[in-house]
Amino acid sequence: TCAFAGQKKVLAAYEEAVKCGYSGARAGRLHTPHGVFDTPMFMPVGTQATVKAVSPRELKEMGAQIILSNTYHLYLRPGTELVAEAGGLHRFMDWDGGILTDSGGFQVFSLGPLRKITEEGAAFRSHIDGSTQFLSPEIAIKAQMNLGADIIMAFDECIPYPAEYQYAKLSTERTTRWAERSQKAHTRSGQALFAIVQGGMYQDLRRVSANDLVSLDFPGYGIGGLSVGEPKPVMYEMLEQTVPLLPENKPRYLMGVGTPDCLVEAVRYGIDMFDCVFPTRVARNGTAMTKSGRLVVKNAAYAKDFLPIDENCGCYACQNFSRAYIRHLLKADEIFGLRLTTIHNLYFLLDFTKKMRQAILEDRFLSFREEFLAQYCK
Ligand SMILES: CNc1nc2c(CC[C@H]3O[C@H](OC)[C@H](OC)[C@@H](OC)[C@@H]3OC)c3nc(N)[nH]c(=O)c3cc2[nH]1
């Protein structure tokens, strides 16, 4: 199972930080069967058992520790039994670092059209062939045990935004019952099952959800139902209500977040783990991430710009290629262009979380956050 240890020195900083009134940024170490990993951490998203356009070797080179895959997608194609026969997800995709799989909750509610939710689970139509499918806590956990990720997620409903209070209340209570069923169905030792806190955008439901799941005692907690279109201040308010209720010695994973400004705020509230499709998705339409904001390297302005995307970046793209070259590739629809912007964006976020960890360890996270936000335009 995965143990999370906030380092002694950091805990001192953490206590100090809380004393001077700002909540708990912390640096920790996450122990899993595939290694011990540093937090705060960004986890590249590899929905269909590949982080789009980059190889496991390149992921290792850029410092990726844990990558994500999606139970919903792999359950539909190629099937999780097939992956189990191939030796599990690590073997199948040749990745020996950590893997986390989402339970399919979010995807059923966001990808699967014509879905119907009951106490038992969720019926939906496959976005691949339109066939009728069904996911329940038991099925989602079995699928994730087949895939063999180091960290798996309980089956939940990601409440849409906005949602009526009554709907959010009933859905959150059901997600807690589904978490208990997920726990009972989870029999694979050495694999950590995280619960997912819901509650919509209602403070009281967030607190009830967190307290109920903590009393079921999970090795780690996802914070779900955020980054679903709500204004950022509302997301931060939900974090403020939820994170302090989660055990200090357990990892917190904010699902589906996000842009660097959201990461630095969420770390301030005590979040340890992040995932987001943003860096890989915007890369594929020619947008690079920098500490001053986005750089659309495809723009004509960069046609004769022979500097790298970011002169201070240590990634393969910035060390060897110019904006002009990358723009040329993107305009020519050359696959290598997408690979270079993807490599840069992943490196940027992985390096950003490493810099936050260093700032926390050196007790200068607050000033790091101030400097970053002053320079970064959303
Ligand atoms: C964007 N805002 C966002 N993403 C939420 C994801 C999905 C994360 C998922 O988001 C993509 O799936 C669509 C990624 O694939 C493209 C998945 O990576 C494998 C990733 O799985 C962790 C949530 N997942 C669950 N189970 N429950 C949630 O409440 C939840 C909330 C999210 N908000």
Side-chain angles (χ1 to χ4, degrees):
T1 53
C2 85
F4 179 81
Q7 287 175 339
K8 192 71 207 106
K9 173 171 174 24
V10 176
L11 282 183
Y14 168 69
E15 279 140 21
E16 191 48 46
V18 171
K19 249 187 258 148
C20 64
Y22 90 97
S23 52
R26 82 261 185 90
R29 290 175 69 69
L30 193 55
H31 296 252
T32 78
H34 280 87
V36 181
F37 303 116
D38 292 339
T39 64
M41 77 160 68
F42 172 73
M43 304 181 286
V45 167
T47 302
Q48 302 188 102
T50 164
V51 176
K52 292 181 173 33
V54 292
S55 71
R57 187 190 310 159
E58 288 164 333
L59 283 168
K60 202 57 101 188
E61 233 171 67
M62 61 175 80
Q65 302 182 88
I66 296 182
I67 62 174
L68 259 51
S69 257
N70 235 307
T71 305
Y72 167 89
H73 296 82
L74 296 172
Y75 175 80
L76 295 178
R77 181 178 58 189
T80 53
E81 280 78 13
L82 184 147
V83 176
E85 279 169 49
L89 207 41
H90 288 85
R91 184 74 230 81
F92 197 46
M93 64 190 293
D94 187 31
W95 173 253
D96 65 359
I99 297 181
L100 180 151
T101 45
D102 196 4
S103 51
F106 183 89
Q107 291 72 30
V108 166
F109 307 115
S110 64
L111 290 177
L114 306 174
R115 55 175 174 70
K116 185 171 175 306
I117 311 170
T118 60
E119 182 64 27
E120 186 51 27
F124 60 97
R125 305 279 297 256
S126 159
H127 72 290
I128 296 172
D129 60 11
S131 59
T132 304
Q133 301 284 341
F134 182 75
L135 271 183
S136 66
E138 293 75 17
I139 296 170
I141 294 301
K142 173 117 179 61
Q144 292 182 89
M145 290 196 284
N146 276 337
L147 295 173
D150 301 287
I151 301 173
I152 68 174
M153 305 307 287
F155 188 68
D156 67 322
E157 178 185 1
C158 173
I159 298 170
Y161 173 78
E164 293 292 319
Y165 181 85
Q166 201 47 26
Y167 183 83
K169 181 174 186 300
L170 292 176
S171 168
T172 298
E173 289 164 353
R174 181 174 52 208
T175 283
T176 299
R177 293 193 295 274
W178 282 359
E180 204 159 6
R181 283 170 51 188
S182 298
Q183 220 170 25
K184 288 198 177 67
H186 186 231
T187 54
R188 180 164 174 163
S189 64
Q191 186 178 55
L193 169 67
F194 281 18
I196 303 176
V197 179
Q198 292 294 345
M201 307 304 159
Y202 300 102
Q203 294 186 13
D204 60 326
L205 298 182
R206 283 278 164 187
R207 287 197 294 273
V208 166
S209 177
N211 286 328
D212 287 352
L213 294 173
V214 168
S215 59
L216 290 171
D217 190 22
F218 286 84
Y221 296 88
I223 297 179
L226 294 177
S227 182
V228 287
E230 78 282 4
K232 288 180 181 177
V234 173
M235 177 168 81
Y236 300 146
E237 191 192 327
M238 291 307 113
L239 290 181
E240 205 153 25
Q241 292 301 318
T242 311
V243 176
L245 299 176
L246 301 176
E248 256 179 53
N249 65 337
K250 302 279 179 77
R252 297 97 176 236
Y253 160 30
L254 178 53
M255 304 188 82
V257 175
T259 50
D261 54 314
C262 291
L263 261 61
V264 78
E265 290 304 63
V267 165
R268 185 166 71 101
Y269 286 116
I271 297 293
D272 307 299
M273 300 160 74
F274 299 91
D275 89 272
C276 186
V277 294
F278 172 80
T280 36
R281 190 167 288 172
V282 297
R284 291 196 294 281
N285 58 43
T287 299
M289 299 170 73
T290 74
K291 58 187 175 311
S292 319
R294 300 181 197 184
L295 188 149
V296 185
V297 72
K298 217 173 173 178
N299 283 351
Y302 303 111
K304 291 194 171 179
D305 186 335
F306 303 116
L307 294 175
I309 289 173
D310 178 345
E311 282 179 298
N312 305 316
C313 176
C315 85
Y316 173 62
C318 292
Q319 293 296 308
N320 299 290
F321 305 98
S322 69
R323 294 167 177 184
Y325 176 69
I326 297 173
R327 177 178 180 275
H328 155 64
L329 295 182
L330 293 170
K331 297 297 277 183
D333 268 344
E334 280 293 344
I335 293 170
F336 190 49
L338 303 181
R339 282 182 26 75
L340 289 172
T341 47
T342 300
I343 286 168
H344 170 77
N345 284 356
L346 286 174
Y347 183 97
F348 173 82
L349 269 185
L350 290 164
D351 184 52
F352 183 60
T353 47
K354 219 179 276 176
K355 287 192 168 86
M356 284 196 281
R357 175 182 167 85
Q358 208 45 45
I360 294 167
L361 288 170
E362 295 166 8
D363 295 357
R364 57 180 173 76
F365 175 72
L366 262 183
S367 54
F368 173 89
R369 171 179 167 276
E370 294 299 317
E371 281 157 38
F372 175 78
L373 289 176
Q375 188 177 21
Y376 183 79
C377 48
K378 312 273 186 285

